Amino acid sequence: MSRFRNALPQLGEGRFLTDAGLETDLIFNRNIPIREFAAHTLLGAPEGRAALEIYFNGFLQLARAMDAGFVLDAVTWKAQRCWADDLGASIADLRDANRQAVAFAAGLRERADNPRPVVLGALIGPRGDAYRPETRITANQARDYFDEQLGWLAETEVDMVTGLTFNQAAEAVGFVRAAQGQGLPAVVSFTVETDGALPDGQFLAEAIGQVDDETGAGAAYFMVNCAHPDHFSPVLTAEAWAKRIRGVRANASRRSHAELDEASDLDAGDPDEFGQLHGLLGQRLPHLKVWGACCGADLRHVTRIAEAVFERPQTH
């Protein structure tokens, strides 16, 4: 049974952490290869499961030390039909991978011993490249496509699902509609470029407005991911649409997506500066409640974020 599916605690006044760039951390910092950048493939071997446990436990321990809740996402980002051929996986394999990933995350939650809520989520990636939309996807196509994976996840104990690195508003609309049909709270986290707009040029405000208009404000909330704070901070204002954003997962690097795609090294940026920039963002936008990071970032970066944002202890 899910714990928070009917009432997500991060919609209240508490503060929450989540993790960072899992794939880039494991590949570049820990020399652990990930087949096709699909983290769920690590669950098939004891050493892969151990690497994931070490990775997530660092963040869970940080959340407890900072007296914060945690959004713990199962590694299901690429455990979906469009990657089956690349992974050499059957649909039955993918369904099992989703179940195994949730069970693994649920076990981590049970052992976390955090008095604050640990919300069990599942990550859903876009249908295609997260940086460069390969084809335009209609809302109806997206709803039908995501309904399969979300149906698998609805049978587990997940509390919510997050469409991470989405880059088309219509695809996000379909994702939210599919989640609504499955009774799952859905979060949409948009990839933005160096100008704070989506890869197709749509302004972030317009994308959020479109998703809300076409789903009856069906998303639990929105997030921003895969860009440096300098890229999206200028467009996050105090207007009503921006208050629908309750979390950020920024890249450590100021490089563009094109530059990151071509890079053979990891640009981890400056964790101290990274944290300070998030502290400024938190002061300006107090409705932001979920703090994590994305490509190039690791536990150091999220630690600096937490230290900068969580200046005062919570009251119990």
Side-chain angles (χ1 to χ4, degrees):
M1 295 291 291
S2 64
R3 295 183 185 177
F4 305 114
R5 193 177 292 186
N6 295 324
L8 296 179
Q10 64 269 44
L11 293 176
E13 293 304 315
R15 60 199 192 189
F16 288 78
L17 293 175
T18 189
D19 68 298
L22 184 154
E23 295 86 356
T24 54
D25 186 11
L26 267 58
I27 292 170
F28 289 96
N29 296 332
R30 310 185 194 212
N31 297 313
I32 298 171
I34 302 177
R35 186 158 56 91
E36 298 295 334
F37 219 63
H40 71 270
T41 62
L42 295 173
L43 294 169
E47 58 270 25
R49 296 174 69 89
L52 289 172
E53 184 161 2
I54 291 169
Y55 170 84
F56 280 112
N57 278 341
F59 293 95
L60 287 163
Q61 291 165 11
L62 173 64
R64 180 173 180 178
M66 299 302 297
D67 192 27
F70 193 79
V71 179
L72 176 59
D73 288 313
V75 290
T76 49
W77 185 64
K78 290 189 78 170
Q80 53 175 282
R81 180 178 289 265
C82 78
W83 304 111
D85 289 344
D86 290 351
L87 293 167
S90 68
I91 301 306
D93 292 335
L94 294 173
R95 181 174 185 171
D96 288 344
N98 279 268
R99 291 175 171 174
Q100 291 169 12
V102 172
F104 178 80
L108 294 177
R109 175 165 71 173
E110 289 298 324
R111 298 188 292 275
D113 192 26
N114 189 339
R116 298 292 182 180
V118 177
V119 182
L120 184 60
L123 296 181
I124 313 296
R127 186 178 180 179
D129 194 302
Y131 283 173
R132 293 187 300 270
E134 297 159 332
T135 58
R136 303 298 300 177
I137 300 171
T138 69
N140 286 340
Q141 289 171 334
R143 180 198 60 207
D144 293 343
Y145 175 76
F146 288 114
D147 190 61
E148 179 175 56
Q149 187 180 16
L150 297 185
W152 301 335
L153 291 166
E155 298 172 350
T156 71
E157 57 186 295
V158 293
D159 299 311
M160 57 178 280
V161 291
T162 297
L164 188 71
T165 66
F166 271 43
N167 50 41
Q168 300 179 45
E171 185 175 28
V173 169
F175 166 73
V176 172
R177 288 177 180 171
Q180 289 174 309
Q182 295 290 348
L184 290 168
V187 172
V188 172
S189 189
F190 279 122
T191 294
V192 295
E193 297 290 344
T194 56
D195 60 358
L198 273 61
D200 64 2
Q202 186 178 31
F203 293 131
L204 183 59
E206 293 177 357
I208 290 174
Q210 180 179 340
V211 176
D212 271 350
D213 288 346
E214 297 183 22
T215 64
Y221 56 91
F222 292 83
M223 295 180 67
V224 180
N225 63 259
C226 264
H228 191 271
D230 281 354
H231 299 160
F232 60 79
S233 292
V235 305
L236 298 188
T237 65
E239 297 176 69
W241 71 267
K243 293 181 180 179
R244 290 285 282 134
I245 301 173
R246 292 186 72 86
V248 293
R249 296 189 63 158
N251 279 359
S253 173
R254 286 184 170 86
R255 292 174 180 172
S256 68
H257 294 151
E259 290 170 330
L260 290 172
D261 268 348
E262 296 173 0
S264 59
D265 64 323
L266 181 69
D267 180 5
D270 181 341
D272 291 332
E273 179 198 39
F274 194 72
Q276 292 166 7
L277 291 172
H278 283 80
L280 293 173
L281 194 62
Q283 291 174 17
R284 185 162 59 85
L285 302 172
H287 55 273
L288 294 178
K289 299 297 181 183
V290 182
W291 300 90
C294 206
C295 299
D298 53 47
L299 182 60
R300 295 172 299 161
H301 298 75
V302 179
T303 300
R304 295 295 175 265
I305 291 171
E307 291 170 347
V309 174
F310 302 158
E311 294 179 350
R312 295 180 299 276
Q314 294 188 95
T315 57
H316 291 266

